[in-house]
Amino acid sequence: MDKRISTLIFIYVIYLIIALSMLFFVPAQKVLTGLFFSFTGILLFFTFFSLWLLHRKD
């Protein structure tokens, strides 16, 4: 099997496991939602902070 196809199948299986756990288990919903939004916030902060550092004039 092609490496790209097996990678896509792996990503789909991970997505399916996450989706089913969020569908059937309320604690999983809370934990995964918190992780998603906290990582997104941290990523946005570091992105804008690094852009600010790059565009800052000394």
Side-chain angles (χ1 to χ4, degrees):
M1 196 172 0
D2 192 15
K3 185 176 182 192
R4 290 179 289 174
I5 293 173
S6 46
T7 304
L8 286 174
I9 291 173
F10 176 73
I11 291 171
Y12 175 74
V13 168
I14 296 297
Y15 172 78
L16 184 66
I17 290 170
I18 291 172
L20 288 176
S21 66
M22 288 185 76
L23 179 67
F24 292 118
F25 303 110
V26 175
Q29 290 175 359
K30 293 178 182 177
V31 169
L32 291 172
T33 303
L35 285 175
F36 175 72
F37 284 113
S38 65
F39 286 145
T40 304
I42 291 170
L43 182 66
L44 282 172
F45 171 75
F46 281 125
T47 302
F48 286 117
F49 184 70
S50 61
L51 286 173
W52 177 73
L53 285 178
L54 289 174
H55 288 74
R56 185 175 66 160
K57 295 191 180 196
D58 291 332

